[in-house]
Amino acid sequence: MTPMSNRGASLKGLLLVVLLVSNLLLTKEGVTSLPICPNESGTCQVPLGELFERAVRLSHYIHFLSSEMFNEFDERYTQGRDFITKAVNGCHTSSLTTPEDKEQTQQIHHGDLLNLVVGVLRSWNDPLIHLASEVQRMKEAPKTILWKATEIEEQNKRLQEGMEKIIGRIHSGETGNEVYSQWEDLPSLQLDDEDSRLFAFYKLMHCLRRDSHKIDNYLKVLRCRLIHDSNC
């Protein structure tokens, strides 16, 4: 085998290893085996840097699941329906002022950004509970969508609890002053009209994917700023 072919084989082998590790990190076992703060006594001995690493890993997992769930729902139920134009700017969290890009995010004080993350997470508590329950009532709903909805609900709570631990660590025991947005669209998920009901599901999953992506980005900025002194 020539040196060039040896190099190609090595690169292929490295790529396979990277893909394998990435897939393992995105499995339920790979994430839930590392709770953000495992001590149930109320104290947390995990270093702040590790708390952030676990929070970022969990937020990325939630965004991965929400994207997969949205794509699966979109492909199965909404083909031929022009839902996206109506769903834009229709999220219940639109009342919260959130930065739209990294430059805007960098301009927000870390305390306000931490509270914003928790506020967005809290805003999803009720809709995620009802999303998981109402999906079960959908006609021929795939078990994969139901599993993802249930898993996201559980992991959203874990991430919220972890963020409250982080805020308490940074602000010496304080829990923050986060503001969250109420969700009032449950009746839309229970409509008899199929198109209207499917649109309600579509909008909710679209907004979840959008917000989980924002949280993932905000946490990466916070980790860089607070743990790595903005040297990222």
Side-chain angles (χ1 to χ4, degrees):
M1 183 177 292
T2 65
M4 185 62 70
S5 59
N6 281 330
R7 183 181 304 174
S10 298
L11 288 174
K12 288 181 180 179
L14 178 60
L15 178 59
L16 288 174
V17 171
V18 171
L19 289 174
L20 177 61
V21 172
S22 298
N23 287 333
L24 287 174
L25 289 176
L26 291 175
T27 60
K28 180 176 185 294
E29 292 78 8
V31 175
T32 57
S33 62
L34 284 175
I36 291 181
C37 193
N39 194 327
E40 297 181 357
S41 65
T43 60
C44 185
Q45 304 301 322
V46 179
L48 183 61
E50 181 60 24
L51 288 179
F52 262 106
E53 291 298 330
R54 296 181 183 187
V56 168
R57 189 182 308 171
L58 186 53
S59 71
H60 188 65
Y61 176 58
I62 292 171
H63 177 56
F64 170 79
L65 288 179
S66 65
S67 297
E68 290 286 303
M69 181 174 65
F70 173 81
N71 291 336
E72 185 175 357
F73 181 88
D74 184 37
E75 182 177 352
R76 185 178 182 89
Y77 292 102
T78 68
Q79 298 304 304
R81 296 179 169 95
D82 188 21
F83 282 168
I84 186 60
T85 54
K86 295 189 295 181
V88 173
N89 299 324
C91 302
H92 73 287
T93 52
S94 295
S95 60
L96 300 175
T97 302
T98 58
E100 295 298 329
D101 53 38
K102 186 174 182 180
E103 182 177 349
Q104 291 183 14
T105 304
Q106 293 286 14
Q107 297 174 3
I108 300 179
H109 185 270
H110 69 265
D112 295 332
L113 192 56
L114 284 166
N115 288 334
L116 178 59
V117 168
V118 177
V120 175
L121 291 172
R122 288 187 62 191
S123 297
W124 278 100
N125 285 343
D126 284 346
L128 286 175
I129 290 173
H130 292 293
L131 175 62
S133 62
E134 294 301 323
V135 162
Q136 299 183 63
R137 299 171 54 184
M138 291 178 60
K139 184 179 180 180
E140 300 178 354
K143 292 183 179 180
T144 49
I145 291 181
L146 174 59
W147 179 84
K148 290 182 178 74
T150 304
E151 178 71 359
I152 291 170
E153 178 198 354
E154 178 183 341
Q155 301 310 323
N156 186 75
K157 291 179 180 178
R158 291 184 61 242
L159 181 56
Q160 183 178 320
E161 292 171 357
M163 291 309 303
E164 290 170 352
K165 294 286 186 183
I166 288 175
I167 291 176
R169 181 77 65 85
I170 292 175
H171 295 296
S172 301
E174 296 180 11
T175 57
N177 299 304
E178 68 280 351
V179 177
Y180 70 100
S181 179
Q182 293 282 356
W183 179 71
E184 300 176 348
D185 286 345
L186 176 59
S188 299
L189 296 181
Q190 301 171 333
L191 293 171
D192 292 330
D193 179 71
E194 184 180 21
D195 277 359
S196 299
R197 187 176 68 255
L198 287 176
F199 172 68
F201 277 104
Y202 178 92
K203 184 177 74 170
L204 192 61
M205 293 183 189
H206 161 77
C207 294
L208 176 62
R209 182 182 64 167
R210 185 200 73 165
D211 285 353
S212 64
H213 185 243
K214 286 186 176 184
I215 290 173
D216 195 34
N217 287 335
Y218 298 163
L219 287 180
K220 289 174 182 175
V221 169
L222 284 165
R223 177 184 60 181
C224 181
R225 188 188 302 179
L226 296 174
I227 305 303
H228 301 293
D229 197 26
S230 299
N231 186 23
C232 299

